[in-house]
Amino acid sequence: MSDKFLVIGEAREGTLRNVTYEAIAAAKKIQPEGEVVGVICGDTDQESQADEMIYYGADKVITIKHDNLKAYTSEGYGQAILSVIKEEAPFGIVMGHTSVGKDLTPKLASKLESGLVSDVVDLELEGDTPVFTRPIYSGKAFEKKTVTSGLTFFTIRPNNVPALERDESRKGEVITKDIDVAGIRTVIKDVIRKAAEGVDLSEANVIVAGGRGVKSEEGFKPLYELAEVLGGAVGASRGACDAEYCDYSLQIGQTGKVVTPDLYIAVGISGAIQHLAGMSNSKVIVAINKDPEANIFNVADYGIVGDLFEILPLLIEDIKKMKQ
Amino acid sequence: MDIYVLLKRTFDTEEKINISSGKIEDDGAEFIINPYDEYAVEEAINQRDEHGGEVTVVTVGDEESEKQLRTALAMGADKAVLINTEEDLEDGDQYTTSRILEAYFKDKQVDLILAGNVAIDEASGQVGPRLAELLGMPYITTITNLKIDNKTVSIEKDVEGDVEVVESTLPLLVTCQQGLNEPRYPSLPGIMKAKKKPLDELELEDLDIDEDELEAKTRTVEIFLPPEKEAGRVLEGEIGDQVQELVSLLKNDAKVL
């Protein structure tokens, strides 16, 4: 059987996302001696991205350049990547469990009549069999899954499988493939940037999240300031989204995003079970709430009882001082 | 328009999860329509009211799902179909479910299929796109706005917080994201009417599909609960001192700054 692993790379604004490097590490964990082949799509030259994949552990990278691959569409990327899969005939495929990964991988799996284990947070080998751990019920429980037939195809959640050390001395082959991409029925007309500049919620190491206690859209300002100082992203509880203090895309919880940052600062969030499902697997949790009985204190590592509008400015100032 | 909704019955979001003999304990638990599928039902009803036609809600599951299908009918869907696999299937996965749905849809006239972008229990988000691929139909996931003008469909799609404006054509499959609409509560007259609406039950043999073709490609070998998070320290003293202590704890003890 082939011991080749295909890693589907994903770039944003010309740079590969970190989860691509984490996917390489995941492939290597399953096939330590096997060949790791990266694949990248786009409408420009992707030499430097290909090199980066090699520095992070890929043995070979295939780049596909076509005008119809400028923006991601499931049909365009699907055609391009499927033709590479057919040619390379890998043992397994891995990609990030991102917006693009979630959209693309079920299509490929369906076409390949393959299983797909999505949103993997941990993996191990039992003998030769890869065993994947993934959250179910939004992290209220976990399941371990194995592949029983066909390809070992999975997606990994960002921030959970550490990438290998970047090593610029690593060498590998970069191949540019000419593949025709045609017959696309969905067209992207425009992209409206609404997400906060810089850090994406699902990949953020630090999240500052606000709830109803933040009281207004204006009230989120110090949260954004704190997130900026920490190089993190802002999230919210359902309560804050329903009250229109912020956009639904920021919602963390059982409906909304499930996040596992290193540091989660819950500000004015009471801690309903649905919210806890989305964040309680964060590494360190800080709760700031004026109600000492708030449920959020039951999962917090550190808590401060008090007025968030008094506490946040002090916290921002102290962290700025510390960073100097 | 012939509009279809893929619906799954899931645990209520309020429920705590317990495990007994290696399986999720569902005795006494409350069940609901998967919240993302509720957006799909609401959108299907709105599109039908605007363009005419019929909304059919389809579930692959067991008898217990009838209750959620009745709720969708009470919201305003016209017909419901339960593909009951209880007797025929032990362990399916997303491959299995999408193949069953493929068999159901293969002789149907379809303009639009709506589904939730993910189910809050197993959370794979695969069945919608897999089905679209099997039916040779384009699909768009995580939509937050949908406008249909003849055969042209204009969509807004959530991409990690950004909005992509996408155009496509019918027939089409979409998966729904929060923000698309506000699902209605069934009205009392709606509930009364729902009792008389058709709810058909099918089994695999009605779909002319063999169990052997449906064998899952993946298997769950273990289910476990995460370690219970212990309550930590609530700091005390002057607010200013508490903040200083917090920064020091995060830096020196937790090492996250």
Side-chain angles (χ1 to χ4, degrees), chain A residues 6-11 37-42 46 62-65 69 72-90 92-95 100-101 103-105 107-109 111-112 151 153 177 179-181:
Chain A
L6 204 70
V7 176
I8 303 172
E10 184 188 345
V37 180
V39 51
I40 318 173
C41 297
Q46 301 142 61
I62 297 166
T63 69
I64 310 161
K65 184 177 150 185
L69 298 175
Y72 166 79
T73 58
S74 60
E75 293 180 305
Y77 274 50
Q79 283 176 44
I81 291 167
L82 208 59
S83 75
V84 172
I85 296 170
K86 291 214 163 123
E87 231 175 87
E88 297 289 324
I93 308 172
V94 53
M95 183 175 188
V100 169
D103 195 80
L104 176 65
T105 52
K107 180 190 180 83
L108 297 174
K111 199 92 184 165
L112 297 161
L151 278 169
F153 192 176
K177 279 233 155 81
I179 293 167
D180 193 34
V181 180

Side-chain angles (χ1 to χ4, degrees), chain B residues 51-121:
Chain B
H51 301 285
E54 206 171 61
V55 174
T56 307
V57 185
V58 185
T59 291
V60 177
D62 58 25
E63 245 172 26
E64 308 276 350
S65 304
E66 275 185 22
K67 190 173 168 214
Q68 283 68 39
L69 287 170
R70 285 282 173 215
T71 304
L73 292 172
M75 287 171 76
D78 301 289
K79 293 203 273 186
V81 175
L82 171 63
I83 304 172
N84 191 339
T85 58
E86 200 172 6
E87 308 229 315
D88 298 320
L89 283 181
E90 285 253 330
D91 293 307
D93 66 357
Q94 298 80 17
Y95 170 81
T96 313
T97 308
S98 58
R99 289 294 308 274
I100 293 169
L101 288 167
E102 177 197 19
Y104 170 77
F105 278 107
K106 71 174 180 238
D107 59 356
K108 303 277 184 299
Q109 176 72 39
V110 176
D111 294 303
L112 182 66
I113 302 175
L114 299 108
N117 88 74
V118 72
I120 59 166
D121 47 13

Side-chain angles (χ1 to χ4, degrees), chain A residues 169-242:
Chain A
S169 70
R170 282 186 53 97
K171 299 264 177 291
E173 195 184 356
V174 179
I175 302 163
T176 304
K177 279 233 155 81
D178 217 8
I179 293 167
D180 193 34
V181 180
I184 294 172
R185 293 167 290 184
T186 50
V187 189
I188 295 165
K189 293 282 186 185
D190 195 10
V191 180
I192 305 159
R193 299 264 172 228
K194 278 170 80 185
E197 296 276 311
V199 190
D200 177 71
L201 203 50
S202 58
E203 280 185 301
N205 288 319
V206 178
I207 292 173
V208 182
R212 275 198 185 270
V214 178
K215 289 196 186 113
S216 65
E217 196 179 341
E218 179 77 15
F220 264 81
K221 273 196 177 160
L223 278 76
Y224 277 102
E225 208 179 318
L226 178 58
E228 199 190 319
V229 174
L230 293 168
V234 170
S237 71
R238 174 158 199 168
C241 296
D242 282 348

Side-chain angles (χ1 to χ4, degrees), chain A residues 99 103 107 111 114 116 134 137 140 142-144 146 148 187 189-190 192-194 256 300-301 303, chain B residues 13 15 36 121-122 126 130 133 139 141 160 162-163 165 167 217 219 221-222 224 232-233 235:
Chain A
S99 196
D103 195 80
K107 180 190 180 83
K111 199 92 184 165
S114 152
L116 170 60
R134 61 185 301 276
Y137 299 87
K140 287 178 185 170
F142 288 82
E143 65 174 352
K144 289 191 176 185
T146 56
T148 45
V187 189
K189 293 282 186 185
D190 195 10
I192 305 159
R193 299 264 172 228
K194 278 170 80 185
D301 299 281
Chain B
T13 55
E15 293 289 338
Y36 292 100
D121 47 13
E122 283 165 44
Q126 292 182 29
R130 275 183 182 265
E133 182 62 34
Y139 64 87
T141 55
E160 289 165 6
D162 289 333
V163 179
V165 183
E167 217 171 82
K217 307 281 186 184
R219 195 160 67 95
V221 290
E222 190 188 336
F224 62 98
R233 269 180 63 194
L235 307 181

Side-chain angles (χ1 to χ4, degrees), chain A residues 12 17 72 74-75 97-100 102-104 106-107 109-111 113-119 131 133-149 185-195 200 202 206 230 238 248-249 251 254-257 262-263 273-274 280-286 297-306 310-311 314-315 318-319 322, chain B residues 11-17 19 24 35-36 39 93-95 98-99 117 120-127 129-131 133-134 136-142 156-169 172 177-179 182 215-227 229-236 239-240 242-247 249-251 253-254 256-257:
Chain A
R12 195 163 48 186
R17 296 179 68 158
Y72 166 79
S74 60
E75 293 180 305
H97 195 65
T98 59
S99 196
V100 169
K102 289 180 222 177
D103 195 80
L104 176 65
K107 180 190 180 83
S110 188
K111 199 92 184 165
E113 294 189 33
S114 152
L116 170 60
V117 184
S118 43
D119 201 14
V131 180
T133 302
R134 61 185 301 276
I136 51 177
Y137 299 87
S138 312
K140 287 178 185 170
F142 288 82
E143 65 174 352
K144 289 191 176 185
K145 285 199 103 165
T146 56
V147 174
T148 45
S149 84
R185 293 167 290 184
T186 50
V187 189
I188 295 165
K189 293 282 186 185
D190 195 10
V191 180
I192 305 159
R193 299 264 172 228
K194 278 170 80 185
D200 177 71
S202 58
V206 178
L230 293 168
R238 174 158 199 168
Y248 276 116
S249 59
Q251 186 176 319
Q254 189 145 13
T255 49
K257 295 195 167 65
D262 293 337
L263 174 59
I273 185 169
Q274 294 92 335
S280 59
N281 294 312
S282 303
K283 287 187 193 91
V284 176
I285 298 168
V286 173
F297 288 116
N298 292 326
V299 299
D301 299 281
Y302 307 110
I304 296 185
V305 178
E310 185 186 345
I311 295 165
L314 295 171
L315 188 56
D318 278 8
I319 290 170
M322 183 205 78
Chain B
F11 265 64
D12 193 317
T13 55
E14 296 274 350
E15 293 289 338
K16 274 215 163 103
I17 301 296
I19 293 171
I24 301 280
Y36 292 100
Y39 300 122
D93 66 357
Q94 298 80 17
Y95 170 81
S98 58
R99 289 294 308 274
N117 88 74
I120 59 166
D121 47 13
E122 283 165 44
S124 81
Q126 292 182 29
V127 171
R130 275 183 182 265
L131 174 64
E133 182 62 34
L134 290 168
M137 207 182 262
Y139 64 87
I140 300 167
T141 55
T142 59
E156 287 179 12
K157 169 182 162 66
D158 167 46
V159 183
E160 289 165 6
D162 289 333
V163 179
E164 249 177 40
V165 183
V166 188
E167 217 171 82
S168 192
T169 54
L172 179 70
Q177 173 69 306
Q178 191 167 32
E182 281 288 333
E215 199 167 321
K217 307 281 186 184
T218 58
R219 195 160 67 95
T220 299
V221 290
E222 190 188 336
I223 293 176
F224 62 98
L225 298 178
K229 186 111 193 173
E230 279 173 37
R233 269 180 63 194
V234 174
L235 307 181
E236 284 171 4
I239 286 291
Q242 286 192 42
V243 169
Q244 265 183 15
E245 190 185 354
L246 175 65
V247 173
L249 285 167
L250 292 177
K251 184 170 193 282
D253 284 19
V256 287
L257 289 186

